[in-house]
Amino acid sequence: MTSRARAILVLTITLVFLLPISATGQERRDYIIAKGGVYSPTGGLDDLNFGSGFNGEVAWGHYFSPNFALEVGAGYFESDQVRVVPLLATGKAIYPTGNWELFAEVGMGAYFAKFKGTFRYPALVDVEINDESVVFGVNLGFGVNYNITEEFFLGIEGKYLMTTDAEFGGSAAGGSVKLEPDLNGYIVTAVFGFRF
């Protein structure tokens, strides 16, 4: 993890513990959301010429005030032969205005990645890989929600993911090969939410 990622992680954890834990008269303080969209790698997977793939997430959130919420959730995203299941915790700074909520977010998570398939190594050798790796990462994002009613809302969210390097081992021509890509990339999703 880079020093920038560590600094963001420390800042997020500090803010979570310094913000007040009591709600401020909001009737609907909890919510659930479902997200669907696209993951586009920019780091190690992009260097391997892997393309964009599906991203989906579900999360439960709680408003600690009208301007701050925490979410925990899980998801799935893919890029060619790599499939990833993240477990996430996210803090959101919210600016409500009328029926709209603008927000910025900082999240962290554990990413359970699986590489299964044949990969053509740059030396034009086919590498057979069937391996798993767990990496850790942070993400920075922003978005907007529109309140259809007091309970239901729709939105759009964009975030950038930065992770440690995964380690996938494989075999080719009687020898072993190790790939160590990060999962860095952009994630853009549509959001459907329900407050209760």
Side-chain angles (χ1 to χ4, degrees), residues 18-35:
L18 291 179
L19 290 170
I21 302 300
S22 61
T24 57
Q26 227 171 282
E27 285 183 34
R28 302 192 190 297
R29 296 179 298 176
D30 294 310
Y31 61 92
I32 54 173
I33 53 175
K35 306 176 191 179

Side-chain angles (χ1 to χ4, degrees), residues 26-67:
Q26 227 171 282
E27 285 183 34
R28 302 192 190 297
R29 296 179 298 176
D30 294 310
Y31 61 92
I32 54 173
I33 53 175
K35 306 176 191 179
V38 65
Y39 161 75
S40 183
T42 61
L45 294 180
D46 186 49
D47 293 343
L48 297 173
N49 294 317
F50 282 23
S52 298
F54 171 78
N55 177 83
E57 296 175 33
V58 292
W60 168 82
H62 180 79
Y63 288 97
F64 290 95
S65 78
N67 302 107

Side-chain angles (χ1 to χ4, degrees), residues 103-126:
F103 62 86
E105 62 185 5
V106 177
M108 58 188 162
Y111 297 81
F112 299 84
K114 181 172 181 67
F115 191 130
K116 184 174 183 180
T118 302
F119 170 71
R120 180 152 294 241
Y121 208 68
L124 300 179
V125 176
D126 285 336

Side-chain angles (χ1 to χ4, degrees), residues 10-20 68 106:
V10 169
L11 177 63
T12 302
I13 292 170
T14 303
L15 287 174
V16 166
F17 288 108
L18 291 179
L19 290 170
F68 180 74
V106 177

Side-chain angles (χ1 to χ4, degrees), residues 71-125:
E71 293 177 4
V72 292
Y76 170 85
F77 64 86
E78 61 187 24
S79 176
D80 293 349
Q81 295 100 327
V82 176
R83 311 286 185 259
V84 182
V85 175
L87 299 179
L88 306 165
T90 304
K92 296 174 94 168
I94 302 165
Y95 178 72
T97 175
N99 285 340
W100 298 90
E101 280 186 346
L102 307 173
F103 62 86
E105 62 185 5
V106 177
M108 58 188 162
Y111 297 81
F112 299 84
K114 181 172 181 67
F115 191 130
K116 184 174 183 180
T118 302
F119 170 71
R120 180 152 294 241
Y121 208 68
L124 300 179
V125 176

